[in-house]
């Protein structure tokens, strides 16, 4: 798979995402929404950064099980129950992303939602990846 991150100079400089990702490959992996569920189906983590770490780890676990790697992510959507809190923790969440997934950022969006399926969850991530 090849992925070209496109960040036009006419747009504001991206921080922690790419404006566009052009991929070539032969398989697309659609990743279901992942929250901070542990192996027993319980939401873990009492803070947004803790839940974000677990949700991202869960997303990457599903991706790796499908044969992919973080650099294969083309698109990720973050659903947050409190965008103001997400913005407040943005630098820390960016460090978590880099530590867990690296610096190959997909195209991303953050969307505020009233609640998530797992009612204790503060954040959920879904997306898709393109594999060779």
């Amino acid at each position: 798979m090849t992925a070209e991150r496109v960040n036009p100079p006419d747009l504001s400089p991206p921080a922690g995402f790419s404006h566009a990702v052009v991929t070539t490959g032969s398989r697309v992996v659609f990743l279901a929404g992942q929250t901070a569920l542990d192996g027993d189906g319980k939401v873990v983590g009492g803070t947004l950064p803790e839940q974000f770490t677990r949700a991202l780890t869960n997303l990457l676990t599903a991706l790796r099980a499908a044969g992919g790697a973080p650099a294969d992510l083309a698109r990720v959507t973050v659903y947050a129950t409190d965008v103001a809190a997400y913005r407040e923790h943005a630098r820390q969440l960016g460090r978590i992303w880099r530590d867990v997934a690296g610096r190959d950022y997909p195209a991303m969006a953050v969307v505020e939602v009233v609640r998530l399926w797992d009612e204790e969850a503060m954040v959920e991530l879904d997306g898709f990846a393109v594999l060779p």
Side-chain angles (χ1 to χ4, degrees):
M1 192 271 301
T2 62
E4 174 190 1
R5 272 73 179 167
V6 179
N7 294 300
D10 294 344
L11 297 177
S12 65
F17 69 96
S18 294
H19 284 290
V21 178
V22 179
T23 64
T24 58
S26 61
R27 296 186 312 146
V28 176
V29 178
F30 294 92
L31 298 160
Q34 298 293 325
T35 60
L37 291 179
D38 66 10
D40 293 325
K42 305 275 192 246
V43 173
V44 295
T47 68
L48 179 60
E50 290 170 337
Q51 287 199 13
F52 182 85
T53 300
R54 184 60 186 242
L56 178 57
T57 299
N58 289 348
L59 187 80
L60 296 178
T61 297
L63 176 57
R64 287 184 178 104
D72 298 325
L73 287 169
R75 171 86 174 144
V76 170
T77 302
V78 178
Y79 303 93
T81 58
D82 185 345
V83 168
Y86 190 93
R87 291 181 74 137
E88 179 182 322
H89 290 83
R91 286 186 185 266
Q92 185 178 4
L93 299 176
R95 282 191 301 275
I96 292 166
W97 182 280
R98 288 186 301 278
D99 290 346
V100 175
R103 293 184 173 271
D104 293 321
Y105 298 112
M108 294 181 71
V110 177
V111 178
E112 186 171 74
V113 296
V114 174
R115 71 173 171 252
L116 297 164
W117 182 263
D118 301 313
E119 290 188 14
E120 304 84 15
M122 299 174 206
V123 64
E124 183 169 334
L125 286 78
D126 74 5
F128 69 89
V130 179
L131 282 58

